[in-house]
Amino acid sequence: MKTIRFNAMAGLLMAILFSGKVYAQTGDACNYPDILSGKTFRPGTPIYSPGWEPSTNYTHTWENGKLSLYLGDETFDAWQSQFFLSISPVVSLIPGEAYCISFDIESNVDLPRVFLKFYKKGNNERFIELAGRAVRKGRQNVSGTYINEGNTTVTEIDELLFDFGYNPAGASIVISNITIRGKKDPTDNEPLPKNEIHVFPNPVKDKLHLSGLSLTAGRIKILNISGQVCLDILPNKEFDVSSLRPGIYFVMAENKVFKIIKQ
């Protein structure tokens, strides 16, 4: 019979993981203020797929906080028609953080797929998004959370686009209350929620920063995915993690666990 050795620290980490208390740089995104509040929106020129020429009865207007669309022709695929709003001034986002995206939509027809994407104009390969949502006829709220990480990580956004995939002809759509809730760039003056620990940047290459630690914070531990302690250090605002191999790690600080990616 084989003897299974169980690492106590790994056990603690797994218990926290399964309890849902890992702060994968999310905190509680939907409880933050709307970072689009006070921004100015302006409609851009719609883009249509090459070779597809819709009738001129397509409309795209922004007035009194509402995006009104009339899609006169039927579309058959994603990205066949795209509708834009510019955002001013630029909005700063934090790599590794989660953002709660939400909007209200009212339609006179069922829409099988509604897609919303935020990015910096000229570089739509880096973005946060709310993708692939089916919308029924009538009025409803569409929302979801997106983690700003990986190859699409974006630090600034100033444009959004809506795409509807397939839509039937004669679709009248009104979109309002577009919001993004989550942490702003740490250089902003807006205070974070009380006792909120902030870990950045994420992904990280060499210097990892922690803010919001209490004066009585104990030692900070950085564990690998197996639960092994890779660094055990005194609390500070900046830590050197350049010695860590690339991969996923967990920062344990004040009984909270934060997921980070070491590049």
Side-chain angles (χ1 to χ4, degrees), residues 186 197-201 204 206-215 217-220 222 233-241 251 253-254:
I197 298 174
H198 181 53
V199 181
F200 63 97
V204 60
D206 45 26
K207 300 295 184 182
L208 184 68
H209 299 265
L210 271 73
S211 65
L213 292 173
S214 70
L215 296 176
R219 298 182 69 88
I220 308 299
I222 299 182
I233 42 189
L234 292 171
N236 204 337
K237 293 183 178 180
E238 181 180 285
F239 304 93
D240 185 356
V241 295
V251 179
E254 297 190 8

Side-chain angles (χ1 to χ4, degrees), residues 24-37:
Q25 279 309 95
T26 62
D28 194 357
C30 295
N31 288 335
Y32 278 80
D34 174 22
I35 62 178
L36 297 180
S37 178

Side-chain angles (χ1 to χ4, degrees), residues 61-68:
T61 59
W62 175 263
E63 187 175 3
N64 297 324
K66 294 182 179 181
L67 176 65
S68 298

